[in-house]
Amino acid sequence: MRPAGDGGNFTDWQDVSGWDDMGMPIVEVSEDGSFVMTKTADTGGLVSPGSAGEQMLYEIGDPRAYLLPDVICDWSGVTLEQIGPDRVRVMGGKGLGRTGSYKVSATYADGWRAVTTLTLAAIDAPAKAERVAEAILTRCRRIFRNKNLGDFRQVSVEVLGAEAAYGANARARTREVVLKIGVAHEERSALNIFAGEIAPMAISTAQGLTGFYAGRPKVQPVVRLFSFLQDKADTPVAVEVDGKDVPVTVATREVRLDPPATPPADSRDAGPDAVKVRLVELAWGRSGDKGDIANIGIMARKPDYLPYIRSALTEDAVKTYFAHLCNGPVERFDLPGSHALNFLLHESLGGGGIASVRIDPQGKGFAQMLLDIEIPVPAKLAENDGLAMTKESAA
């Protein structure tokens, strides 16, 4: 299990002091494999079950059988207990043996990309920004046709400030936005044309455009990641020290136990007296990437909340919420020990990493976006725990 960090990257950021002097994480490991997570004294940060749990959920796959270089981990039964100020005891992690394969991450060149941003302050700023983007792209495509160049391979127009990342869930009304246009093409020459059309079109379209701080967009190669598992038995290993070969024996037989079955998790309907509260009232969240797959870990603030979270956050519900970003299936995994869920959103990052032209190619904001979804809970639970109901519920 990776160190839980110092609590700076935490949903409850307002509870974390000392951002300018974050402490280093310290792990006190016991012989039984449990450990205490803490941090350096007299420094900023916060070590709590929430901050530690968020880091455990960060960028993982199946928590029952998570592949690491030297072991297969089962984190589904991990428990987190606050035992003192900035001290959390972590127990229940299991190793299921070594893998019979290496993970290989290869990269390859795959065309070209360019990204530009423009600031716009005006009445109807989001609509004007969309119109500017349409004009730039239409003009470029006309020039491409005249030069026998193909169309853009990928286009991403995001009006930042108008909650473009939220898709149909956006609620913002704003007079100030940043227009981001990201494009990819097979030919570098095509994107040189795109780069040259930004400034001229910007000064001949909508009033209020400004902020050409980055200057002419830079055309960059697209470097795409391809990862796979390679059988150790088919992979020769050689080590040389001071010019001499050193014999190396690699265990090629996979020593792996079947991962334990996850206990049936409780999904509970909120009942006829249900009210709606935002998920952030009920849970913490952390998200990240695995190539073109985003993961979202959701950890209930109290065990009593998990059945209602689980009932509402089905794979279909999460897929629908991120329909504008997620092109593949959504998987859900249970971590009953920490009262948590982990979601994998396949094909959701536009290629991921530097292969993507989105503003968030690594899914860093996905968990915080999902925490804004409304979850039905019994009215009595909301009242007893002082949970803030949504306006719809209050009405």
Side-chain angles (χ1 to χ4, degrees):
M1 183 173 176
R2 289 165 296 181
D6 45 41
N9 266 327
F10 186 35
T11 296
D12 294 345
W13 58 271
Q14 66 275 16
D15 296 337
V16 183
S17 63
W19 281 20
D20 61 313
D21 187 28
M22 284 293 183
M24 293 297 293
I26 298 172
V27 180
E28 302 170 356
V29 183
S30 300
E31 291 183 1
D32 63 1
S34 66
F35 60 89
V36 173
M37 175 63 58
T38 184
K39 67 179 183 68
T40 47
D42 301 321
T43 59
L46 174 68
V47 180
S48 69
S51 66
E54 281 192 10
Q55 187 67 12
M56 179 181 71
L57 297 170
Y58 180 54
E59 296 187 343
I60 64 171
D62 182 350
R64 302 163 301 182
Y66 182 47
L67 302 182
L68 292 172
D70 53 356
V71 68
I72 303 168
C73 287
D74 175 13
W75 292 347
S76 61
V78 167
T79 61
L80 304 117
E81 178 189 5
Q82 191 89 51
I83 60 172
D86 291 317
R87 293 182 65 81
V88 172
R89 178 181 287 120
V90 182
M91 303 178 65
K94 297 179 181 178
L96 304 181
R98 68 174 65 92
T99 68
S101 57
Y102 297 112
K103 178 182 178 181
V104 181
S105 292
T107 57
Y108 61 98
D110 189 25
W112 303 87
R113 69 172 190 150
V115 179
T116 188
T117 58
L118 301 168
T119 302
L120 194 151
I123 299 170
D124 298 326
K128 284 185 177 180
E130 293 277 3
R131 181 76 178 273
V132 170
E134 179 186 358
I136 292 171
L137 294 170
T138 299
R139 178 172 174 81
C140 285
R141 285 174 168 135
R142 184 165 64 246
I143 297 172
F144 291 173
R145 289 194 296 270
N146 292 338
K147 293 182 176 291
N148 293 319
L149 293 169
D151 196 3
F152 294 110
R153 188 177 66 190
Q154 187 179 6
V155 172
S156 172
V157 175
E158 295 173 281
V159 182
L160 311 178
E163 298 186 359
Y166 283 80
N169 306 304
R171 298 194 298 263
R173 298 290 182 269
T174 181
R175 296 171 296 173
E176 180 181 81
V177 298
V178 173
L179 170 62
K180 187 235 72 185
I181 309 173
V183 292
H185 201 283
E186 299 290 346
E187 303 290 337
R188 183 171 190 166
S189 59
L191 294 193
N192 284 332
I193 293 170
F194 167 79
E197 290 298 321
I198 304 303
M201 289 294 288
I203 61 176
S204 63
T205 53
Q207 284 193 48
L209 276 168
T210 182
F212 301 93
Y213 302 117
R216 182 186 177 102
K218 184 179 180 181
V219 179
Q220 300 174 311
V222 172
V223 179
R224 199 172 292 275
L225 174 68
F226 178 68
S227 298
F228 59 94
L229 298 179
Q230 170 72 16
D231 196 310
K232 289 179 179 177
D234 297 333
T235 310
V237 177
V239 175
E240 182 181 298
V241 178
D242 294 333
K244 296 180 180 180
D245 292 337
V246 178
V248 176
T249 300
V250 177
T252 57
R253 183 175 65 88
E254 182 171 4
V255 181
R256 175 173 178 175
L257 305 175
D258 291 332
T262 301
D266 185 9
S267 294
R268 198 172 306 162
D269 187 86
D273 65 338
V275 296
K276 290 183 178 180
V277 301
R278 294 163 66 211
L279 179 58
V280 72
E281 293 276 321
L282 307 172
W284 300 288
R286 187 79 188 274
S287 57
D289 67 313
K290 290 288 188 187
D292 199 23
I293 302 172
N295 103 287
I296 303 176
I298 298 294
M299 181 177 172
R301 294 175 183 267
K302 293 183 178 181
D304 291 348
Y305 296 162
L306 182 60
Y308 304 108
I309 296 172
R310 195 175 189 280
S311 178
L313 291 188
T314 63
E315 293 170 340
D316 288 342
V318 174
K319 169 73 174 179
T320 299
Y321 192 80
F322 289 98
H324 59 297
L325 298 174
C326 181
N327 296 318
V330 172
E331 295 180 276
R332 183 179 73 178
F333 301 94
D334 291 286
L335 293 87
S338 54
H339 319 294
L341 303 170
N342 188 47
F343 296 90
L344 295 183
L345 285 66
H346 294 259
E347 300 175 46
S348 61
L349 299 172
I354 58 175
S356 176
V357 290
R358 292 188 188 167
I359 198 66
D360 184 7
Q362 296 175 306
K364 300 298 186 183
F366 281 28
Q368 297 301 302
M369 292 162 63
L370 186 60
L371 287 174
D372 211 31
I373 199 171
E374 295 177 345
I375 301 292
V377 299
K380 187 174 181 180
L381 177 66
E383 181 180 351
N384 290 343
D385 287 10
L387 303 176
M389 294 180 290
T390 65
K391 291 181 179 180
E392 178 184 344
S393 299

CSV table of all heavy atoms in Angstrom, one decimal, residues 240-298:
chain,number,residue,atom,x,y,z
A,240,GLU,N,24.5,-7.2,-15.7
A,240,GLU,CA,25.9,-7.0,-15.8
A,240,GLU,C,26.4,-6.0,-14.8
A,240,GLU,O,25.9,-4.9,-14.7
A,240,GLU,CB,26.3,-6.5,-17.2
A,240,GLU,CG,27.8,-6.3,-17.5
A,240,GLU,CD,28.1,-5.8,-18.9
A,240,GLU,OE1,27.7,-6.5,-19.8
A,240,GLU,OE2,28.6,-4.7,-19.0
A,241,VAL,N,27.5,-6.4,-14.0
A,241,VAL,CA,28.0,-5.5,-13.0
A,241,VAL,C,29.5,-5.4,-13.3
A,241,VAL,O,30.2,-6.5,-13.3
A,241,VAL,CB,27.8,-6.0,-11.6
A,241,VAL,CG1,28.4,-5.1,-10.5
A,241,VAL,CG2,26.3,-6.1,-11.3
A,242,ASP,N,30.1,-4.2,-13.5
A,242,ASP,CA,31.5,-4.0,-13.7
A,242,ASP,C,32.0,-4.9,-14.9
A,242,ASP,O,33.1,-5.5,-14.8
A,242,ASP,CB,32.3,-4.3,-12.5
A,242,ASP,CG,32.1,-3.4,-11.3
A,242,ASP,OD1,31.7,-2.2,-11.6
A,242,ASP,OD2,32.2,-3.7,-10.2
A,243,GLY,N,31.2,-5.0,-15.9
A,243,GLY,CA,31.6,-5.7,-17.1
A,243,GLY,C,31.4,-7.2,-17.0
A,243,GLY,O,31.8,-7.9,-17.9
A,244,LYS,N,30.9,-7.7,-15.9
A,244,LYS,CA,30.8,-9.2,-15.7
A,244,LYS,C,29.3,-9.5,-15.6
A,244,LYS,O,28.5,-8.9,-15.0
A,244,LYS,CB,31.5,-9.6,-14.5
A,244,LYS,CG,33.0,-9.4,-14.5
A,244,LYS,CD,33.7,-9.9,-13.2
A,244,LYS,CE,35.2,-9.6,-13.3
A,244,LYS,NZ,35.8,-10.1,-12.0
A,245,ASP,N,28.9,-10.6,-16.2
A,245,ASP,CA,27.6,-11.2,-16.2
A,245,ASP,C,27.3,-11.7,-14.8
A,245,ASP,O,28.2,-12.5,-14.2
A,245,ASP,CB,27.3,-12.2,-17.2
A,245,ASP,CG,27.3,-11.7,-18.6
A,245,ASP,OD1,27.1,-10.5,-18.8
A,245,ASP,OD2,27.6,-12.4,-19.6
A,246,VAL,N,26.2,-11.4,-14.2
A,246,VAL,CA,25.8,-11.9,-12.9
A,246,VAL,C,24.6,-12.8,-13.1
A,246,VAL,O,23.6,-12.3,-13.6
A,246,VAL,CB,25.5,-10.7,-11.9
A,246,VAL,CG1,25.0,-11.3,-10.6
A,246,VAL,CG2,26.7,-9.8,-11.7
A,247,PRO,N,24.7,-14.1,-12.7
A,247,PRO,CA,23.5,-14.9,-12.9
A,247,PRO,C,22.3,-14.4,-12.1
A,247,PRO,O,22.4,-14.0,-11.0
A,247,PRO,CB,24.0,-16.3,-12.3
A,247,PRO,CG,25.5,-16.2,-12.4
A,247,PRO,CD,25.8,-14.7,-12.1
A,248,VAL,N,21.1,-14.5,-12.8
A,248,VAL,CA,19.9,-14.1,-12.1
A,248,VAL,C,18.9,-15.2,-12.4
A,248,VAL,O,18.7,-15.7,-13.5
A,248,VAL,CB,19.4,-12.8,-12.7
A,248,VAL,CG1,18.0,-12.4,-12.1
A,248,VAL,CG2,20.4,-11.7,-12.5
A,249,THR,N,18.2,-15.6,-11.3
A,249,THR,CA,17.1,-16.5,-11.4
A,249,THR,C,15.8,-15.8,-11.1
A,249,THR,O,15.7,-15.2,-10.0
A,249,THR,CB,17.3,-17.7,-10.4
A,249,THR,OG1,18.5,-18.4,-10.7
A,249,THR,CG2,16.1,-18.7,-10.5
A,250,VAL,N,14.9,-15.9,-12.0
A,250,VAL,CA,13.6,-15.3,-11.8
A,250,VAL,C,12.5,-16.4,-11.7
A,250,VAL,O,12.4,-17.3,-12.5
A,250,VAL,CB,13.2,-14.4,-13.0
A,250,VAL,CG1,11.8,-13.8,-12.9
A,250,VAL,CG2,14.2,-13.3,-13.2
A,251,ALA,N,11.7,-16.3,-10.6
A,251,ALA,CA,10.7,-17.3,-10.4
A,251,ALA,C,9.6,-17.0,-11.5
A,251,ALA,O,9.0,-16.0,-11.5
A,251,ALA,CB,10.1,-17.1,-9.0
A,252,THR,N,9.5,-18.0,-12.4
A,252,THR,CA,8.5,-17.8,-13.5
A,252,THR,C,7.2,-18.5,-13.3
A,252,THR,O,6.2,-18.2,-14.0
A,252,THR,CB,9.1,-18.4,-14.8
A,252,THR,OG1,9.4,-19.8,-14.6
A,252,THR,CG2,10.4,-17.7,-15.2
A,253,ARG,N,7.1,-19.3,-12.3
A,253,ARG,CA,5.8,-19.9,-12.0
A,253,ARG,C,4.9,-18.9,-11.2
A,253,ARG,O,5.3,-18.4,-10.2
A,253,ARG,CB,6.0,-21.2,-11.2
A,253,ARG,CG,4.6,-22.0,-10.9
A,253,ARG,CD,4.9,-23.3,-10.3
A,253,ARG,NE,5.5,-23.1,-8.9
A,253,ARG,CZ,4.7,-23.0,-7.8
A,253,ARG,NH1,3.4,-23.0,-7.9
A,253,ARG,NH2,5.3,-22.9,-6.7
A,254,GLU,N,3.8,-18.7,-11.7
A,254,GLU,CA,2.9,-17.8,-11.0
A,254,GLU,C,2.4,-18.4,-9.7
A,254,GLU,O,1.7,-19.4,-9.7
A,254,GLU,CB,1.7,-17.4,-11.9
A,254,GLU,CG,0.8,-16.3,-11.3
A,254,GLU,CD,-0.3,-15.8,-12.3
A,254,GLU,OE1,-0.3,-16.3,-13.4
A,254,GLU,OE2,-1.0,-14.9,-11.9
A,255,VAL,N,2.6,-17.7,-8.6
A,255,VAL,CA,2.2,-18.2,-7.3
A,255,VAL,C,1.0,-17.2,-6.9
A,255,VAL,O,1.2,-16.2,-6.4
A,255,VAL,CB,3.3,-18.1,-6.2
A,255,VAL,CG1,2.7,-18.6,-4.9
A,255,VAL,CG2,4.5,-18.9,-6.7
A,256,ARG,N,-0.2,-17.7,-7.3
A,256,ARG,CA,-1.3,-16.8,-7.1
A,256,ARG,C,-2.5,-17.6,-6.5
A,256,ARG,O,-2.8,-18.7,-7.1
A,256,ARG,CB,-1.7,-16.1,-8.4
A,256,ARG,CG,-3.0,-15.3,-8.3
A,256,ARG,CD,-3.3,-14.5,-9.5
A,256,ARG,NE,-4.5,-13.8,-9.4
A,256,ARG,CZ,-5.0,-12.9,-10.3
A,256,ARG,NH1,-4.3,-12.7,-11.4
A,256,ARG,NH2,-6.1,-12.3,-10.1
A,257,LEU,N,-3.1,-17.1,-5.5
A,257,LEU,CA,-4.3,-17.7,-4.9
A,257,LEU,C,-5.5,-17.0,-5.5
A,257,LEU,O,-5.5,-15.9,-5.9
A,257,LEU,CB,-4.3,-17.6,-3.4
A,257,LEU,CG,-3.1,-18.1,-2.7
A,257,LEU,CD1,-3.2,-17.7,-1.2
A,257,LEU,CD2,-2.9,-19.6,-2.9
A,258,ASP,N,-6.6,-17.8,-5.6
A,258,ASP,CA,-7.8,-17.1,-6.1
A,258,ASP,C,-8.2,-16.0,-5.1
A,258,ASP,O,-8.2,-16.3,-3.9
A,258,ASP,CB,-9.0,-18.2,-6.1
A,258,ASP,CG,-8.7,-19.1,-7.3
A,258,ASP,OD1,-8.1,-18.8,-8.2
A,258,ASP,OD2,-9.2,-20.3,-7.2
A,259,PRO,N,-8.5,-14.8,-5.5
A,259,PRO,CA,-8.8,-13.8,-4.6
A,259,PRO,C,-10.1,-14.1,-3.9
A,259,PRO,O,-11.0,-14.8,-4.4
A,259,PRO,CB,-9.1,-12.6,-5.5
A,259,PRO,CG,-9.2,-13.1,-6.9
A,259,PRO,CD,-8.5,-14.4,-7.0
A,260,PRO,N,-10.2,-13.8,-2.6
A,260,PRO,CA,-11.3,-14.1,-1.8
A,260,PRO,C,-12.6,-13.4,-2.4
A,260,PRO,O,-12.5,-12.3,-2.9
A,260,PRO,CB,-11.0,-13.6,-0.4
A,260,PRO,CG,-10.0,-12.5,-0.7
A,260,PRO,CD,-9.2,-13.0,-1.8
A,261,ALA,N,-13.7,-14.1,-2.2
A,261,ALA,CA,-14.9,-13.5,-2.7
A,261,ALA,C,-15.3,-12.4,-1.8
A,261,ALA,O,-15.2,-12.4,-0.6
A,261,ALA,CB,-16.1,-14.6,-2.7
A,262,THR,N,-15.7,-11.3,-2.4
A,262,THR,CA,-16.1,-10.1,-1.7
A,262,THR,C,-17.4,-10.4,-1.0
A,262,THR,O,-18.4,-10.8,-1.7
A,262,THR,CB,-16.2,-8.9,-2.6
A,262,THR,OG1,-14.9,-8.7,-3.2
A,262,THR,CG2,-16.6,-7.6,-1.8
A,263,PRO,N,-17.6,-10.1,0.3
A,263,PRO,CA,-18.9,-10.4,0.9
A,263,PRO,C,-19.9,-9.5,0.2
A,263,PRO,O,-19.7,-8.4,-0.2
A,263,PRO,CB,-18.6,-9.9,2.4
A,263,PRO,CG,-17.1,-9.9,2.5
A,263,PRO,CD,-16.5,-9.6,1.2
A,264,PRO,N,-21.1,-10.0,0.2
A,264,PRO,CA,-22.2,-9.3,-0.5
A,264,PRO,C,-22.4,-7.9,0.2
A,264,PRO,O,-22.5,-7.8,1.4
A,264,PRO,CB,-23.5,-10.1,-0.2
A,264,PRO,CG,-22.9,-11.5,0.0
A,264,PRO,CD,-21.6,-11.3,0.7
A,265,ALA,N,-22.3,-6.9,-0.6
A,265,ALA,CA,-22.5,-5.5,0.0
A,265,ALA,C,-24.0,-5.2,0.1
A,265,ALA,O,-24.8,-5.7,-0.7
A,265,ALA,CB,-21.7,-4.5,-0.9
A,266,ASP,N,-24.3,-4.3,1.0
A,266,ASP,CA,-25.6,-3.9,1.3
A,266,ASP,C,-26.0,-2.7,0.5
A,266,ASP,O,-25.4,-1.7,0.6
A,266,ASP,CB,-25.8,-3.6,2.8
A,266,ASP,CG,-27.2,-3.3,3.2
A,266,ASP,OD1,-28.1,-3.5,2.4
A,266,ASP,OD2,-27.4,-2.9,4.4
A,267,SER,N,-27.0,-2.9,-0.4
A,267,SER,CA,-27.6,-1.8,-1.1
A,267,SER,C,-29.0,-1.5,-0.5
A,267,SER,O,-29.8,-2.5,-0.4
A,267,SER,CB,-27.7,-2.0,-2.6
A,267,SER,OG,-26.5,-2.1,-3.2
A,268,ARG,N,-29.3,-0.3,-0.1
A,268,ARG,CA,-30.5,-0.1,0.6
A,268,ARG,C,-31.3,1.1,0.0
A,268,ARG,O,-30.7,2.2,-0.1
A,268,ARG,CB,-30.2,0.2,2.1
A,268,ARG,CG,-31.3,0.1,3.1
A,268,ARG,CD,-30.8,0.2,4.5
A,268,ARG,NE,-29.8,-0.8,4.8
A,268,ARG,CZ,-28.9,-0.7,5.8
A,268,ARG,NH1,-29.0,0.3,6.6
A,268,ARG,NH2,-28.0,-1.6,6.0
A,269,ASP,N,-32.6,0.9,-0.3
A,269,ASP,CA,-33.4,2.0,-0.7
A,269,ASP,C,-33.7,2.9,0.4
A,269,ASP,O,-33.9,2.5,1.5
A,269,ASP,CB,-34.7,1.4,-1.3
A,269,ASP,CG,-35.5,2.4,-2.0
A,269,ASP,OD1,-35.3,2.7,-3.2
A,269,ASP,OD2,-36.4,3.0,-1.3
A,270,ALA,N,-33.8,4.2,0.1
A,270,ALA,CA,-34.0,5.2,1.1
A,270,ALA,C,-35.4,5.3,1.6
A,270,ALA,O,-35.7,5.9,2.6
A,270,ALA,CB,-33.6,6.6,0.6
A,271,GLY,N,-36.4,4.6,0.9
A,271,GLY,CA,-37.7,4.6,1.4
A,271,GLY,C,-38.6,5.7,0.9
A,271,GLY,O,-38.1,6.7,0.3
A,272,PRO,N,-39.9,5.7,1.3
A,272,PRO,CA,-40.8,6.7,0.8
A,272,PRO,C,-40.6,8.1,1.3
A,272,PRO,O,-41.0,9.1,0.8
A,272,PRO,CB,-42.2,6.2,1.2
A,272,PRO,CG,-41.9,5.3,2.4
A,272,PRO,CD,-40.5,4.7,2.1
A,273,ASP,N,-39.9,8.2,2.5
A,273,ASP,CA,-39.6,9.6,3.1
A,273,ASP,C,-38.3,10.1,2.7
A,273,ASP,O,-37.7,11.0,3.4
A,273,ASP,CB,-39.8,9.5,4.6
A,273,ASP,CG,-38.7,8.6,5.2
A,273,ASP,OD1,-38.1,7.8,4.5
A,273,ASP,OD2,-38.4,8.8,6.4
A,274,ALA,N,-37.7,9.6,1.6
A,274,ALA,CA,-36.4,10.0,1.2
A,274,ALA,C,-36.2,11.5,0.9
A,274,ALA,O,-37.1,12.1,0.4
A,274,ALA,CB,-35.9,9.2,0.0
A,275,VAL,N,-35.1,12.0,1.2
A,275,VAL,CA,-34.7,13.3,0.8
A,275,VAL,C,-33.3,13.2,0.1
A,275,VAL,O,-32.7,12.2,0.2
A,275,VAL,CB,-34.5,14.3,2.0
A,275,VAL,CG1,-35.9,14.5,2.7
A,275,VAL,CG2,-33.5,13.8,3.0
A,276,LYS,N,-32.9,14.2,-0.7
A,276,LYS,CA,-31.7,14.1,-1.4
A,276,LYS,C,-30.6,15.0,-0.8
A,276,LYS,O,-30.9,16.2,-0.4
A,276,LYS,CB,-31.9,14.6,-2.9
A,276,LYS,CG,-32.8,13.6,-3.7
A,276,LYS,CD,-32.9,14.0,-5.1
A,276,LYS,CE,-33.7,13.0,-5.9
A,276,LYS,NZ,-33.8,13.4,-7.3
A,277,VAL,N,-29.4,14.5,-0.7
A,277,VAL,CA,-28.3,15.2,-0.2
A,277,VAL,C,-27.1,15.0,-1.2
A,277,VAL,O,-27.1,14.0,-2.0
A,277,VAL,CB,-27.8,14.8,1.2
A,277,VAL,CG1,-28.9,15.0,2.2
A,277,VAL,CG2,-27.4,13.4,1.2
A,278,ARG,N,-26.2,16.0,-1.3
A,278,ARG,CA,-25.1,15.8,-2.2
A,278,ARG,C,-24.2,14.7,-1.6
A,278,ARG,O,-24.0,14.6,-0.4
A,278,ARG,CB,-24.4,17.1,-2.3
A,278,ARG,CG,-25.1,18.2,-3.0
A,278,ARG,CD,-24.5,19.6,-2.8
A,278,ARG,NE,-23.2,19.7,-3.4
A,278,ARG,CZ,-22.2,20.4,-2.9
A,278,ARG,NH1,-22.4,21.1,-1.8
A,278,ARG,NH2,-21.1,20.5,-3.5
A,279,LEU,N,-23.6,14.0,-2.6
A,279,LEU,CA,-22.7,12.9,-2.2
A,279,LEU,C,-21.6,13.3,-1.3
A,279,LEU,O,-21.1,12.6,-0.4
A,279,LEU,CB,-22.2,12.2,-3.4
A,279,LEU,CG,-21.2,11.0,-3.2
A,279,LEU,CD1,-21.9,9.9,-2.4
A,279,LEU,CD2,-20.7,10.5,-4.5
A,280,VAL,N,-21.1,14.6,-1.4
A,280,VAL,CA,-20.0,15.1,-0.6
A,280,VAL,C,-20.4,15.1,0.9
A,280,VAL,O,-19.5,15.1,1.7
A,280,VAL,CB,-19.5,16.4,-1.1
A,280,VAL,CG1,-20.5,17.5,-0.8
A,280,VAL,CG2,-18.1,16.8,-0.6
A,281,GLU,N,-21.7,15.2,1.2
A,281,GLU,CA,-22.1,15.1,2.6
A,281,GLU,C,-22.0,13.7,3.1
A,281,GLU,O,-21.9,13.6,4.4
A,281,GLU,CB,-23.6,15.5,2.6
A,281,GLU,CG,-24.0,16.9,2.3
A,281,GLU,CD,-23.8,17.9,3.4
A,281,GLU,OE1,-24.1,17.5,4.6
A,281,GLU,OE2,-23.3,19.0,3.2
A,282,LEU,N,-21.9,12.7,2.3
A,282,LEU,CA,-21.9,11.3,2.7
A,282,LEU,C,-20.5,10.7,2.5
A,282,LEU,O,-20.3,9.6,3.1
A,282,LEU,CB,-22.9,10.5,1.9
A,282,LEU,CG,-24.3,11.1,1.9
A,282,LEU,CD1,-25.2,10.3,1.0
A,282,LEU,CD2,-24.9,11.0,3.3
A,283,ALA,N,-19.6,11.2,1.7
A,283,ALA,CA,-18.4,10.5,1.3
A,283,ALA,C,-17.3,11.4,1.0
A,283,ALA,O,-17.5,12.6,0.7
A,283,ALA,CB,-18.8,9.6,0.1
A,284,TRP,N,-16.1,10.8,1.0
A,284,TRP,CA,-14.9,11.4,0.4
A,284,TRP,C,-14.6,10.8,-1.0
A,284,TRP,O,-15.2,9.7,-1.3
A,284,TRP,CB,-13.7,11.2,1.3
A,284,TRP,CG,-13.8,11.7,2.7
A,284,TRP,CD1,-13.7,13.0,3.1
A,284,TRP,CD2,-13.9,10.9,3.9
A,284,TRP,NE1,-13.8,13.1,4.4
A,284,TRP,CE2,-13.9,11.9,5.0
A,284,TRP,CE3,-14.0,9.6,4.2
A,284,TRP,CZ2,-14.1,11.5,6.3
A,284,TRP,CZ3,-14.1,9.2,5.5
A,284,TRP,CH2,-14.2,10.1,6.5
A,285,GLY,N,-13.8,11.4,-1.8
A,285,GLY,CA,-13.6,10.9,-3.1
A,285,GLY,C,-12.2,11.2,-3.6
A,285,GLY,O,-11.6,12.3,-3.3
A,286,ARG,N,-11.6,10.3,-4.4
A,286,ARG,CA,-10.3,10.6,-5.1
A,286,ARG,C,-10.3,9.9,-6.4
A,286,ARG,O,-10.8,8.8,-6.6
A,286,ARG,CB,-9.2,10.0,-4.2
A,286,ARG,CG,-7.8,10.4,-4.7
A,286,ARG,CD,-7.4,11.8,-4.4
A,286,ARG,NE,-6.1,12.2,-5.0
A,286,ARG,CZ,-4.9,11.9,-4.5
A,286,ARG,NH1,-4.8,11.3,-3.3
A,286,ARG,NH2,-3.8,12.3,-5.1
A,287,SER,N,-9.7,10.5,-7.4
A,287,SER,CA,-9.7,9.9,-8.8
A,287,SER,C,-8.4,10.1,-9.4
A,287,SER,O,-7.6,11.0,-9.1
A,287,SER,CB,-10.8,10.5,-9.6
A,287,SER,OG,-10.7,12.0,-9.7
A,288,GLY,N,-8.1,9.3,-10.5
A,288,GLY,CA,-6.9,9.4,-11.2
A,288,GLY,C,-7.0,8.6,-12.5
A,288,GLY,O,-8.1,8.2,-13.0
A,289,ASP,N,-5.9,8.2,-13.1
A,289,ASP,CA,-5.9,7.5,-14.4
A,289,ASP,C,-5.0,6.3,-14.4
A,289,ASP,O,-4.1,6.1,-13.6
A,289,ASP,CB,-5.4,8.5,-15.4
A,289,ASP,CG,-3.9,8.8,-15.3
A,289,ASP,OD1,-3.5,9.1,-14.1
A,289,ASP,OD2,-3.2,8.8,-16.3
A,290,LYS,N,-5.4,5.4,-15.3
A,290,LYS,CA,-4.6,4.3,-15.8
A,290,LYS,C,-4.7,4.2,-17.3
A,290,LYS,O,-5.6,3.6,-17.9
A,290,LYS,CB,-5.2,3.0,-15.2
A,290,LYS,CG,-5.0,2.8,-13.7
A,290,LYS,CD,-3.5,2.5,-13.3
A,290,LYS,CE,-3.4,2.2,-11.9
A,290,LYS,NZ,-2.0,2.0,-11.5
A,291,GLY,N,-3.8,5.0,-18.0
A,291,GLY,CA,-3.9,5.1,-19.4
A,291,GLY,C,-5.2,5.8,-19.8
A,291,GLY,O,-5.4,7.0,-19.4
A,292,ASP,N,-6.1,5.2,-20.5
A,292,ASP,CA,-7.3,5.8,-21.0
A,292,ASP,C,-8.5,5.4,-20.0
A,292,ASP,O,-9.7,5.6,-20.4
A,292,ASP,CB,-7.7,5.4,-22.4
A,292,ASP,CG,-8.7,6.3,-23.1
A,292,ASP,OD1,-8.8,7.5,-22.6
A,292,ASP,OD2,-9.4,5.9,-24.0
A,293,ILE,N,-8.2,4.8,-18.9
A,293,ILE,CA,-9.2,4.4,-17.9
A,293,ILE,C,-9.1,5.4,-16.7
A,293,ILE,O,-8.0,5.6,-16.2
A,293,ILE,CB,-9.0,3.0,-17.4
A,293,ILE,CG1,-9.0,2.0,-18.6
A,293,ILE,CG2,-10.0,2.6,-16.4
A,293,ILE,CD1,-8.6,0.6,-18.2
A,294,ALA,N,-10.2,5.9,-16.3
A,294,ALA,CA,-10.2,6.8,-15.1
A,294,ALA,C,-10.7,5.9,-13.9
A,294,ALA,O,-11.6,5.1,-14.1
A,294,ALA,CB,-11.1,8.0,-15.2
A,295,ASN,N,-10.2,6.1,-12.7
A,295,ASN,CA,-10.7,5.4,-11.5
A,295,ASN,C,-11.3,6.5,-10.6
A,295,ASN,O,-10.8,7.6,-10.5
A,295,ASN,CB,-9.7,4.6,-10.8
A,295,ASN,CG,-9.1,5.2,-9.6
A,295,ASN,OD1,-8.3,6.2,-9.7
A,295,ASN,ND2,-9.5,4.7,-8.4
A,296,ILE,N,-12.4,6.2,-10.0
A,296,ILE,CA,-13.0,7.0,-9.0
A,296,ILE,C,-13.2,6.2,-7.7
A,296,ILE,O,-14.0,5.2,-7.7
A,296,ILE,CB,-14.3,7.6,-9.4
A,296,ILE,CG1,-14.2,8.4,-10.8
A,296,ILE,CG2,-14.9,8.6,-8.4
A,296,ILE,CD1,-15.5,8.9,-11.3
A,297,GLY,N,-12.5,6.6,-6.6
A,297,GLY,CA,-12.8,5.9,-5.4
A,297,GLY,C,-13.7,6.7,-4.5
A,297,GLY,O,-13.4,7.9,-4.3
A,298,ILE,N,-14.7,6.1,-4.0
A,298,ILE,CA,-15.7,6.8,-3.1
A,298,ILE,C,-15.7,6.1,-1.8
A,298,ILE,O,-16.0,4.9,-1.7
A,298,ILE,CB,-17.1,6.8,-3.7
A,298,ILE,CG1,-17.1,7.6,-5.0
A,298,ILE,CG2,-18.1,7.4,-2.7
A,298,ILE,CD1,-16.8,9.1,-4.9
